Amino acid sequence: MCGIVAYKGPKNCYPILIDGLHRLEYRGYDSAGVACLNDGKISITKRRGKVIQLEQGLKTDGKFQNCDGPGIAHTRWATHGKPNQINAHPHKDQSGNIVLVHNGIIENYNPIKKFLKSKKIKFKSETDTEVLVQLIGYFFNKGKLNFEQSVRAALQRVDGAYAIVVLNKKEPDVMIAARKGSPLVLGVKDNEFFVGSDISPIIKHTQQIVYLEDSQMAIIKDDEYKITSIDKDVSLPKKVEKIDFKIDDYDKGKFKYFMHKEIHEQIDTISNTITGRAKKDRVYLNGLLEYWAQIKEADKIFITACGTSWHAGLIGKNLIERFAKIPVHVEYASEFRYNKTLIDNNSVVIAISQSGETADTLAAIKKANEHGAITVGICNVPGSSVSRETNCGIFTRCGHEVGVASTKAFTAQISILYLLALKLAASNDAISKASLRSHLDFSENIKKIKNVLKKENEIKKIALKYKNANDFLYLGRGLNFPIALEGALKLKEISYIHAEGYPAAEMKHGPIALVDKNMPNVFIVPKDKTYDKIISNIEEIKSRKGKIIIITDSKDKILRDLANDLILVPKTNHFMFCHLATIVLQLFAYYIAVGKNLNVDQPRNLAKSVTVE
Ligand code: F6R
């Protein structure tokens, strides 16, 4: 988590850094800070809270106008130490010479802190980051090592994951960036240098990008830079890539929250994701071309991801097994990375990630690559670590997803998985051309999303009725079990109401004990082969006085009689029903959270991109 942006060049760094922080705020928003080297002095400003508070602070202090030296900035998602101003980055060493921003976790900070304390070094914050800057300062202030050597010496002694940028007022012409585990990107443009946790704060300034590899350092001195490993001061080749990628400006349009806007964008994002990839009776996934011969031969597929993307993975399993008849194993990336997963060089491992920067997902990909598996990324951010670390992949074409709760990325991910399942089925002759053609005919079905969005007021009214509930159960079967999980996750993330998703029939094996007259139970009920079974499950809850909310495409009276509230979506096919039910649940969660006056775009304790373990 945490976002880093840094600038070294002739311009005033503050506007560049603050704009960069706004773009990185999705990574954490507990506190933010900026340090600038100006006239031989380090000037640090920090604020608890959002980047806007930091920006206002800089303006009030009259600092915003002017900084002629390099600057570093940070937006924090707290790991070690409370989210307050003292723990906010940048951190200084005791002498005040060195200043640093950090993303990641220094795992052995305790013994190092003890050692530094024995050398009479006093600490101001509770962070692991201050330990690192103090260690650099310790080496530098002994007088035997220059700045670069001191950074190298300190980094060689720390364990864990980090991306850092460091300045030193005694060597004001130098800026040092380094990474291990956490991503870091350098942008270059004549005599200007930009560093970022990802390309989002950089790309509007330059398209010339160097993705630092693991355990590499970039040392920028005057108008030159070199890349070395952290271990040795030997220059490595500069792999400058031209990234042709535009990042949209942040604009909520007519909406109050990005999440709301992103829910409404789904008709376009699903269409964009499918366009050109589904044509009559053929699926084109060009990003997989090079590896398709091996992928289609897979006798087992692994899917790994976290959170919402993991829910998409469960849908992927259902679809691939159903259409292509290939067994699929889905595992949380945080488990996959450590479990004894049976992968080898015949395995195909699909990693799903909106951000492309999730630490656990990246570690799972690394493990799969080390075992010789073919790794496939399904990802929303071109240039992200997932897109770079996998052998091949497919982009969801959603544009920037700003709201912390993932919405449009999820429906695009499941659309890609649908196409992949159908392509695998077609390659293995597991589906007829006629059936393929009908599955790939999205045009009419996508339009039905509009009908669901038109029901927004009805969904809002129902949501507000339940906004004070303490617990929710979300229940669905088959393809709609993951949709139930996703609906429950959306609600708890943004409204802080406890919610759980279950396969509808599984509820009898425990969760039903929770049901009483206060408990809302959301049932997802398409008119399919499990319809009658799910009605029995509803009866079971009803007879225990639980409140029943039904999302269905059936007009049957029996459902109306059972439901306290019912949301009817248009008739479509099984797969499109998942999209429609998802959108209803997104709006339902959204209006409960808004009804509770919560900031749905930046819920407490969360960050958009989880870059720590
Ligand atoms: C939920 C949500 C998270 C993410 C998870 C994985 O709304 O956003 O659960 O889905 O952190 O993130 P990505 O997909 O970026 O790897």
Side-chain angles (χ1 to χ4, degrees):
M1 337 278 257
C2 304
I4 291 176
V5 54
Y7 173 75
K8 184 175 183 313
K11 297 189 185 125
N12 174 14
C13 69
Y14 282 124
I16 294 170
L17 297 180
I18 292 299
D19 176 72
L21 284 184
H22 280 299
R23 290 171 191 279
L24 288 168
E25 202 166 24
Y26 72 91
R27 288 173 165 256
Y29 36 79
D30 292 337
S31 55
V34 57
C36 167
L37 261 182
N38 210 1
D39 286 338
K41 289 192 204 115
I42 293 176
S43 163
I44 299 183
T45 308
K46 307 188 201 186
R47 287 291 182 275
R48 186 184 168 172
K50 310 266 191 297
V51 174
I52 188 81
Q53 275 133 310
L54 175 70
E55 187 174 355
Q56 277 155 4
L58 283 167
K59 285 183 175 156
T60 317
D61 298 351
K63 287 187 182 169
F64 200 72
Q65 312 308 331
N66 201 359
C67 174
D68 58 13
I72 58 179
H74 189 268
T75 174
R76 179 169 187 248
W77 183 87
T79 59
H80 294 61
K82 290 181 272 307
N84 59 26
Q85 193 157 317
I86 293 176
N87 290 332
H89 300 212
H91 288 283
K92 272 199 293 193
D93 78 319
Q94 181 164 283
S95 69
N97 288 331
I98 316 277
V99 65
L100 169 145
V101 286
H102 164 226
N103 170 24
I105 294 177
I106 306 298
E107 285 167 1
N108 59 340
Y109 77 99
N110 253 326
I112 299 177
K113 192 168 187 176
K114 230 187 210 163
F115 164 77
L116 292 169
K117 278 184 169 172
S118 76
K119 301 287 173 196
K120 305 265 172 314
I121 290 174
K122 292 203 170 60
F123 285 81
K124 289 194 170 141
S125 76
E126 303 159 289
T127 63
D128 52 334
T129 304
E130 192 185 352
V131 173
L132 179 54
V133 71
Q134 295 281 21
L135 188 62
I136 299 171
Y138 168 76
F139 286 120
F140 182 74
N141 295 324
K142 282 207 309 192
K144 293 206 173 121
L145 303 180
N146 67 18
F147 179 31
E148 181 184 329
Q149 290 161 337
S150 305
V151 174
R152 219 179 273 286
L155 291 181
Q156 285 166 5
R157 283 161 180 81
V158 297
D159 299 328
Y162 54 78
I164 59 163
V165 188
V166 208
L167 297 174
N168 181 349
K169 73 175 182 199
K170 300 283 182 195
E171 295 186 28
D173 48 349
V174 180
M175 180 160 89
I176 299 179
R179 69 156 284 200
K180 189 174 156 204
S182 306
L184 206 59
V185 177
L186 172 69
V188 288
K189 184 188 177 192
D190 306 325
N191 58 347
E192 289 183 280
F193 301 90
F194 306 82
V195 182
S197 302
D198 60 40
I199 58 170
S200 62
I202 300 178
I203 202 73
K204 77 180 231 196
H205 304 288
T206 176
Q207 293 183 315
Q208 305 295 321
I209 301 290
V210 180
Y211 287 91
L212 285 190
E213 286 172 20
D214 224 23
S215 303
Q216 282 191 342
M217 274 168 83
I219 300 102
I220 303 154
K221 186 163 188 220
D222 298 320
D223 293 348
E224 301 285 330
Y225 75 101
K226 65 176 178 181
I227 307 287
T228 72
S229 81
I230 288 171
D231 290 338
K232 270 197 223 137
D233 181 13
V234 175
S235 286
L236 298 168
K238 297 170 180 168
K239 295 189 196 155
V240 184
E241 295 178 37
K242 183 165 188 282
I243 302 294
D244 196 8
F245 177 56
K246 192 173 164 291
I247 291 201
D248 326 332
D249 272 327
Y250 291 99
D251 178 14
K252 292 189 203 139
K254 61 178 184 184
F255 298 94
K256 182 164 177 212
Y257 288 106
F258 281 109
M259 181 182 174
H260 196 196
K261 176 173 174 245
E262 287 161 5
I263 292 172
H264 277 260
E265 278 169 3
Q266 287 175 103
I267 191 159
D268 294 329
T269 51
I270 297 169
S271 304
N272 292 344
T273 298
I274 292 168
T275 299
R277 289 169 168 163
K279 285 190 204 155
K280 293 192 178 137
D281 55 11
R282 290 201 67 171
V283 178
Y284 297 85
L285 298 175
N286 293 345
L288 307 186
L289 224 50
E290 202 185 323
Y291 290 85
W292 188 249
Q294 291 113 297
I295 294 172
K296 75 180 167 68
E297 293 303 323
D299 51 12
K300 185 164 187 187
I301 292 176
F302 296 82
I303 299 184
T304 188
C306 304
T308 289
S309 298
W310 183 79
H311 297 157
L314 293 178
I315 304 252
K317 171 186 166 68
N318 185 306
L319 295 170
I320 294 171
E321 290 183 344
R322 179 192 302 211
F323 289 118
K325 321 263 185 296
I326 302 171
V328 180
H329 173 76
V330 186
E331 195 158 354
Y332 283 118
S334 54
E335 295 294 308
F336 184 98
R337 64 186 290 186
Y338 292 116
N339 280 352
K340 195 139 193 58
T341 310
L342 300 173
I343 37 171
D344 58 27
N345 52 7
N346 288 319
S347 310
V348 170
V349 177
I350 302 174
I352 308 173
S353 175
Q354 186 285 127
S355 63
E357 301 297 347
T358 302
D360 284 321
T361 308
L362 287 169
I365 293 169
K366 192 166 174 220
K367 175 174 170 177
N369 283 335
E370 282 164 4
H371 282 72
I374 293 169
T375 47
V376 178
I378 296 180
C379 173
N380 193 40
V381 184
S384 63
S385 302
V386 166
S387 72
R388 302 170 59 74
E389 304 290 327
T390 42
N391 296 127
C392 54
I394 317 158
F395 287 111
T396 46
R397 299 174 184 145
C398 296
H400 209 91
E401 191 179 65
V402 182
V404 161
S406 190
T407 52
K408 59 180 180 174
F410 177 74
T411 45
Q413 287 165 348
I414 64 177
S415 301
I416 293 283
L417 288 159
Y418 190 56
L419 294 180
L420 179 61
L422 291 170
K423 187 170 173 66
L424 282 167
S427 295
N428 297 338
D429 292 328
I431 192 166
S432 69
K433 284 240 179 254
S435 166
L436 194 56
R437 199 173 299 124
S438 87
H439 283 295
L440 291 177
D441 184 9
F442 287 93
S443 49
E444 283 310 304
N445 285 330
I446 285 185
K447 287 187 198 145
K448 294 183 179 161
I449 292 176
K450 272 197 187 140
N451 300 40
V452 172
L453 292 171
K454 279 193 197 139
K455 288 185 171 268
E456 185 156 3
N457 272 334
E458 180 189 332
I459 298 169
K460 177 177 175 183
K461 264 194 211 139
I462 299 173
L464 292 178
K465 262 169 74 177
Y466 295 97
K467 78 177 168 85
N468 295 321
N470 292 322
D471 304 277
F472 271 80
L473 268 185
Y474 282 66
L475 301 157
R477 300 182 77 128
L479 268 181
N480 293 301
F481 159 52
I483 301 298
L485 290 176
E486 178 57 11
L489 180 64
K490 283 299 83 94
L491 185 72
K492 65 188 141 196
E493 275 181 296
I494 60 172
S495 73
Y496 318 143
I497 296 174
H498 170 239
E500 289 188 62
Y502 270 94
E506 187 63 22
M507 149 286 283
K508 296 188 293 295
H509 301 281
I512 198 164
L514 300 170
V515 173
D516 63 13
K517 66 178 177 15
N518 299 317
M519 177 130 171
N521 299 271
V522 181
F523 279 91
I524 308 160
V525 193
K527 185 107 188 219
D528 64 10
K529 65 174 193 273
T530 59
Y531 178 72
D532 293 332
K533 308 272 175 212
I534 209 166
I535 288 182
S536 310
N537 303 142
I538 298 173
E539 303 265 16
E540 286 150 11
I541 298 265
K542 184 90 180 164
S543 58
R544 280 146 188 102
K545 301 198 167 58
K547 299 266 185 317
I548 309 286
I549 303 159
I550 294 178
I551 298 159
T552 185
D553 56 359
S554 158
K555 291 185 176 160
D556 290 355
K557 180 168 177 309
I558 182 167
L559 291 182
R560 297 213 165 263
D561 292 345
L562 285 170
N564 294 84
D565 289 286
L566 184 142
I567 299 155
L568 184 68
V569 300
K571 272 254 169 272
T572 168
N573 59 24
H574 290 339
F575 176 64
M576 207 59 206
F577 177 83
C578 287
H579 281 93
L580 303 186
T582 300
I583 293 170
V584 171
L585 294 177
Q586 291 167 349
L587 287 169
F588 184 72
Y590 173 81
Y591 279 111
I592 289 188
V594 169
K596 290 167 93 74
N597 282 325
L598 296 168
N599 178 347
V600 295
D601 281 344
Q602 295 185 329
R604 71 180 181 205
N605 303 341
L606 296 177
K608 184 79 186 146
S609 171
V610 184
T611 57
V612 293
E613 213 182 318

